[in-house]
Amino acid sequence: MLNIVLFGPPGAGKGTQSEKILKKYNLVHLATGDLFRLHLNNETQLGLEAKKYMNKGDLVPDEIVISMVEDKINKSSNVIGFIFDGFPRTINQAVALDNMLEKKNIPIKQMIALKVEENELIKRIINRSKTSGREDDKSIDKINNRIQVYNQETKPVADYYKKHDKYSEVDGIGVIDEIFLKLCSKIDELT
Ligand code: ADP
C-alpha cells in the first residue's frame, strides 16, 4: 500500500501535483477541501456546516473532518494507496488517521512537503481567485488568515511525521513538471 500525505501551505500546489501523482501511480485522491466543496455544491448538511468555517478561511472542526475521511476510506475498495491532500491539518487529525489506518494495517508511508515561501503563496492564490470561484480565495484578509492558521495549527503536523521518520520535502517553486519529477523520485524511493 502506497499511502502518501502531500503536505504544504495553501497555494503550495498540492491539488495540482496530486492530480499528476494519482494518475501515474494509480492512487486514490483524498482531498478534504475538494470533498467539502462537493458537499457545499450539493448543499448537504455537512456542506452547510463546513461552509461556515471554510468561507472565513478557518479550519472545519476535527470531528467533522475525521468522520468524513473515515467514511471515504471505508467506501474505497481495491485501492493501491491513497494520496492525502489537505489532510491531516491538525495533530488530532494525524493521530486519528494513524488509528484508522492501523486498524486496516495500511500505514502512511511518507509525508512529502512542498516548500513555498509566503509571498509566492499569496501571489498564487490571488491569481487562482480569478478562476476558482472560491469564497476563501477572494480577499487578502481570508488568504492571510489561512496562512496564519496553517502556521499555527497545521505546521506542527510536519513535526509529528518527522518524529515518526516519515518526512521528506521538495522545493515547490518552479515549473510544474519539474516539481512533479522531484516528487516522483521521492515516491519511487518508497516503492
Ligand atoms: P487550501 O489548502 O488551498 O487552502 P483546501 O481545498 O485544501 O485549500 O481547503 C479549503 C478549506 O477547507 C480550508 O481552508 C478549511 O476551511 C477546509 N478544510 C479542508 N481540509 C481540512 C481539514 N483537514 N481540516 C479542517 N478544515 C479543512
Side-chain angles (χ1 to χ4, degrees):
M1 198 83 173
L2 185 58
N3 287 330
I4 293 167
V5 175
L6 190 60
F7 188 73
K14 302 185 294 290
T16 307
Q17 296 295 340
S18 292
E19 289 300 332
K20 296 171 82 68
I21 295 169
L22 63 97
K23 280 199 194 106
K24 174 163 175 169
Y25 295 94
N26 279 319
L27 305 178
V28 171
H29 193 196
L30 208 159
T32 42
D34 290 351
L35 291 175
F36 282 132
R37 279 186 289 276
L38 203 68
H39 276 281
L40 227 137
N41 286 339
N42 294 333
E43 294 182 342
T44 66
Q45 195 57 44
L46 179 66
L48 292 174
E49 183 62 24
K51 186 179 173 181
K52 296 189 225 161
Y53 303 92
M54 289 176 78
N55 282 358
K56 289 189 278 181
D58 289 334
L59 292 184
V60 177
D62 283 339
E63 54 287 5
I64 299 179
V65 188
I66 291 165
S67 68
M68 181 177 74
V69 169
E70 190 153 33
D71 187 55
K72 171 84 180 170
I73 292 177
N74 288 337
K75 281 186 180 146
S76 308
S77 52
N78 292 324
V79 177
I80 295 177
F82 290 97
I83 174 145
F84 294 96
D85 162 3
F87 179 88
R89 251 177 162 101
T90 62
I91 297 281
N92 258 341
Q93 292 179 15
V95 173
L97 179 63
D98 272 353
N99 290 338
M100 273 180 236
L101 297 180
E102 198 175 295
K103 271 190 250 160
K104 295 179 179 285
N105 213 5
I106 49 169
I108 292 291
K109 268 255 167 77
Q110 187 92 352
M111 164 182 273
I112 309 177
L114 283 169
K115 302 295 281 182
V116 179
E117 84 243 354
E118 233 164 85
N119 283 346
E120 172 72 13
L121 298 173
I122 295 171
K123 261 201 284 181
R124 287 184 187 180
I125 299 174
I126 289 174
N127 201 33
R128 180 171 76 182
S129 72
K130 294 175 192 155
T131 52
S132 70
R134 280 173 55 169
E135 197 57 41
D136 58 347
D137 284 349
K138 274 188 187 152
S139 81
I140 190 72
D141 287 348
K142 289 177 187 185
I143 297 170
N144 281 333
N145 185 44
R146 280 156 67 197
I147 293 175
Q148 199 182 340
V149 168
Y150 169 80
N151 285 331
Q152 280 168 0
E153 301 192 47
T154 306
K155 241 186 185 171
V157 178
D159 299 325
Y160 177 87
Y161 286 90
K162 277 179 200 163
K163 222 168 52 197
H164 292 86
D165 248 341
K166 291 184 177 182
Y167 177 86
S168 58
E169 55 187 41
V170 158
D171 184 359
I173 305 257
V175 179
I176 289 176
D177 283 337
E178 282 170 10
I179 299 166
F180 176 58
L181 287 179
K182 286 188 243 170
L183 287 168
C184 290
S185 67
K186 290 274 179 216
I187 295 170
D188 291 338
E189 283 169 24
L190 306 170
T191 53

